[in-house]
Amino acid sequence: MSPNLNFLLLRAQAFLLLLASRKREALTRFDAMLAIAPANRYAMASRAHLLGELGDKTGAVAALEALASTHPDSSAAWFNLGFMREELGRHAQAEQAFRRAIEVEPKMDRAWYGLALVLIHERRFDEAVQALKTNTELQPMSPFGWYQLARVHVDRQQPEEAVKIIRHLQGFEPKVAAQLERETGLRAAQAGPAIR
């Protein structure tokens, strides 16, 4: 059987095994695919994803590092690498990966959000605010960036800015606004206009 045909057969087997929730067996198919085509982006990414799902975060990071090194133009590879590094508490390395994802794809809102979380963890609040502002510009209807931005303003002793965000969230995510009010003790009635 030709290598290309064997690769396609392994890919079909992996797909069917994943449908049957037989992840460990699917992983062996991705390993076999990579033996045939070591730089195949799909097989590399799928293998890394499966390792993460199976709880092997260190293995997933190693697989994602190989993917990002082999395909440096893949913003998804860099984002996923940043995410997994953050999961392992490797914040400086996570920041590097998120910044690379942004360099490749400046409008990747998830990477801006991931970068912001790392910066918040490092208590680099001024930089986190900038990353969150970019995230909310790119994804204005997602409550996650707004929530974190409000929390950072509270940490920076800027309750009036946090209250503006709460009022803004009341317009499209009232549950998140109420959660922020409970967590911060701030009330939207305390502020002037919401964010525009």
Side-chain angles (χ1 to χ4, degrees), residues 91-157:
H91 299 289
Q93 292 176 330
E95 177 183 351
Q96 174 195 30
F98 287 132
R99 288 191 186 280
R100 179 67 182 125
I102 290 165
E103 191 177 302
V104 173
E105 187 180 338
K107 293 187 177 185
M108 182 182 245
D109 60 281
R110 300 175 301 154
W112 284 104
Y113 184 76
L115 175 61
L117 293 181
V118 169
L119 294 169
I120 290 167
H121 183 269
E122 299 289 321
R123 302 193 62 78
R124 292 162 53 193
F125 296 133
D126 292 344
E127 292 173 81
V129 165
Q130 292 309 309
L132 287 166
K133 284 184 176 180
T134 303
N135 170 262
T136 57
E137 287 169 9
L138 293 170
Q139 196 62 264
M141 298 307 288
S142 171
F144 303 110
W146 292 110
Y147 172 87
Q148 292 296 337
L149 187 56
R151 297 296 310 203
V152 170
H153 282 308
V154 169
D155 289 340
R156 294 172 79 201
Q157 306 298 313

Side-chain angles (χ1 to χ4, degrees), residues 2-105:
S2 76
N4 287 343
L5 188 57
N6 193 25
F7 184 91
L8 292 173
L9 179 61
L10 289 165
R11 184 174 175 155
Q13 290 173 354
F15 176 77
L16 292 172
L17 288 165
L18 289 172
L19 284 177
S21 296
R22 295 166 56 184
K23 295 176 183 178
R24 290 202 183 279
E25 292 175 67
L27 185 60
T28 65
R29 298 322 190 270
F30 288 116
D31 288 337
M33 290 165 66
L34 290 169
I36 296 168
N40 183 274
R41 187 184 302 211
Y42 168 76
M44 293 179 85
S46 297
R47 182 176 183 277
H49 178 76
L50 270 179
L51 287 169
E53 282 195 349
L54 292 168
D56 183 0
K57 292 181 182 181
T58 302
V61 166
L64 287 165
E65 286 171 344
L67 175 61
S69 174
T70 305
H71 300 281
D73 61 331
S74 172
S75 58
W78 288 106
F79 168 79
N80 290 327
L81 178 57
F83 177 81
M84 290 305 298
R85 283 175 170 174
E86 183 185 16
E87 288 265 309
L88 290 174
R90 299 179 187 172
H91 299 289
Q93 292 176 330
E95 177 183 351
Q96 174 195 30
F98 287 132
R99 288 191 186 280
R100 179 67 182 125
I102 290 165
E103 191 177 302
V104 173
E105 187 180 338

